[in-house]
Amino acid sequence: MLALRLARGAHPLVQLRRLLVAAASAGTGFLLLCTLGYAMGHPDASANAVLRLAWCAIPLAATVYLAVSVARSDPGTKPRTGLSAVGLGPARLTLLASVSTAVACTLGSMLALLFFLHLRGDLSGLPFDGAARRLLAADRPLPLAAALTLLTFVPVAASGASALVLRPRKAKAGTAGYTDTTGPAPDEAQDPAPAPTGLPWGVALLAAGLAVETYASHAPGGVGFPMPGGLAGSSSGVLAGWALTAFGLALAGPGLTHLCGRALQAVRPGAVRLLAGRVLQEEARRIGRPLGVVCAVVSGAYAASVLYGAAGKAAPDLGPLSTLGAFLVVGCTVATLVTAAVEARQARRHTTAALLRLGAPATMLRGAAALRAAALLAVFGPLTWTVAELSAIPLSAR
């Protein structure tokens, strides 16, 4: 009940982010139910049904990633002075964040179930002249237990991931038992932020992924792994290499963002460059990983377009379900990046207010923001293009 009251009294922007989580959960739940419908309508094609279910893991991961980002930025679940006295310590707030995430995802899953039943004609006749009858196996009874089991994937995964990410940390020495799940301790807030340590590992995984893609594309007798929506099948090694590449970009994102901040402060910086660089260093962990994920998704989409454009192949007919899955992945990654940017802006609002009180012009703050965006674009833009081109080369050679 407390989680519901906090959700009801939240800011409209917070409510919008929760609705985005519910919409993403609805889309992913609908894909899972469509996989069940395909398995019901094609009992002899169990292997294809399993492959369709496996491809649903990508939008499922994107939805969970968005849900965790929204839970992190929820102001109603952040530790505040006096909450521990009424029994709302860090552990209880983490539980509230997990419950709020589960409620939003469950709402989306129920909407997916209603829409699925409506398309099957189980509620009020077959809509769209029965166009979805064969796809959703409308002539067969729906196993409700299997449908509900599939619909629990998103709420359970999202709430569990939120609880894991927002779990209370142990207090460090000298902080007088201070525990916070969202930011540094008070005595650390004044230091220049330490550099993230994931850049070498991210670069190594990125190089390993590109090497695996190249090797697998030239290996004789590669095992094909059919792709959804009429896309040409690729070997399992190529897809595994792309997965390593994407994980490497996500891991290297914070380190690259921190290096952007250091580069802005190099060679006798002025006030604008110094402010922009310090902010990037402080926000490297918060916005770096979403930037890396967006870079991975965009590079994958660009590699696919280059592959079909350079080879002169006709564009594949993706179909409604593959289009929905692609839209979910792209939309969730972009929404996660926007959420992280909003969270970063909220985290530095006190610093911004202090600068304005000291007489800093608003044009300087806007200039620093534009400089940060330009620095990130100058680094992540060419990186995305390079990774996309290197990923498309072995695919074009097949």
Side-chain angles (χ1 to χ4, degrees):
M1 292 300 297
L2 181 57
L4 292 176
R5 289 186 178 183
L6 290 175
R8 186 182 60 183
H11 191 273
L13 185 59
V14 178
Q15 300 285 24
L16 177 61
R17 292 199 290 262
R18 290 170 178 163
L19 287 177
L20 287 178
V21 173
S25 176
T28 305
F30 183 74
L31 288 178
L32 291 171
L33 291 176
C34 289
T35 302
L36 176 62
Y38 179 86
M40 294 165 50
H42 303 79
D44 298 332
S46 58
N48 290 335
V50 172
L51 284 176
R52 288 171 176 259
L53 185 62
W55 280 113
C56 290
I58 300 177
L60 174 62
T63 301
V64 170
Y65 192 44
L66 174 62
V68 172
S69 178
V70 170
R72 282 176 54 90
S73 62
D74 192 343
T77 57
K78 293 184 181 297
R80 283 170 288 182
T81 304
L83 289 181
S84 297
V86 295
L88 293 178
R92 185 71 179 276
L93 290 176
T94 300
L95 179 60
L96 288 177
S98 179
V99 171
S100 299
T101 303
V103 169
C105 293
T106 302
L107 175 61
S109 297
M110 292 300 101
L111 290 176
L113 179 60
L114 290 177
F115 188 62
F116 180 78
L117 294 177
H118 176 64
L119 290 181
R120 278 175 48 91
D122 295 336
L123 298 180
S124 59
L126 284 171
F128 308 114
D129 297 328
R133 179 183 182 88
R134 184 178 179 183
L135 178 64
L136 305 181
D139 55 341
R140 297 176 180 269
L142 178 67
L144 188 58
L148 294 179
T149 300
L150 288 176
L151 289 177
T152 59
F153 284 0
V154 178
V156 171
S159 59
S162 300
L164 181 63
V165 171
L166 300 178
R167 69 189 186 279
R169 272 73 169 183
K170 293 183 179 179
K172 297 183 179 181
T175 60
Y178 180 88
T179 305
D180 190 358
T181 60
T182 58
D187 60 344
E188 297 176 337
Q190 304 301 325
D191 300 334
T197 58
L199 182 58
W201 291 103
V203 173
L205 287 176
L206 177 60
L210 293 174
V212 169
E213 288 184 54
T214 304
Y215 176 78
S217 64
H218 294 88
V223 180
F225 192 77
M227 300 182 70
L231 293 173
S234 298
S235 69
S236 302
V238 171
L239 295 178
W242 184 85
L244 284 176
T245 301
F247 188 67
L249 287 172
L251 196 59
L256 291 175
T257 305
H258 194 274
L259 287 180
C260 288
R262 291 189 62 180
L264 287 177
Q265 301 175 76
V267 192
R268 303 177 62 181
V272 176
R273 286 172 52 200
L274 185 62
L275 178 61
R278 290 292 178 88
V279 170
L280 275 184
Q281 287 182 316
E282 285 289 336
E283 298 174 352
R285 288 178 173 83
R286 184 177 283 115
I287 67 174
R289 188 153 296 150
L291 274 173
V293 174
V294 170
C295 180
V297 172
V298 173
S299 63
Y302 180 72
S305 65
V306 169
L307 170 62
Y308 281 93
K313 301 178 181 178
D317 185 14
L318 294 180
L321 298 183
S322 299
T323 302
L324 175 60
F327 180 77
L328 279 173
V329 173
V330 175
C332 287
T333 52
V334 173
T336 301
L337 178 59
V338 173
T339 301
V342 172
E343 182 187 6
R345 183 178 181 181
Q346 292 175 348
R348 65 174 184 270
R349 65 183 184 276
H350 298 296
T351 303
T352 303
L355 289 174
L356 292 176
R357 285 196 303 268
L358 291 175
T363 54
M364 186 186 75
L365 299 179
R366 289 194 293 267
L371 190 58
R372 292 196 302 271
L376 292 175
L377 184 62
V379 171
F380 283 92
L383 176 64
T384 303
W385 178 82
T386 302
V387 172
E389 290 288 349
L390 292 177
S391 300
I393 289 175
L395 296 177
S396 303
R398 291 184 62 84

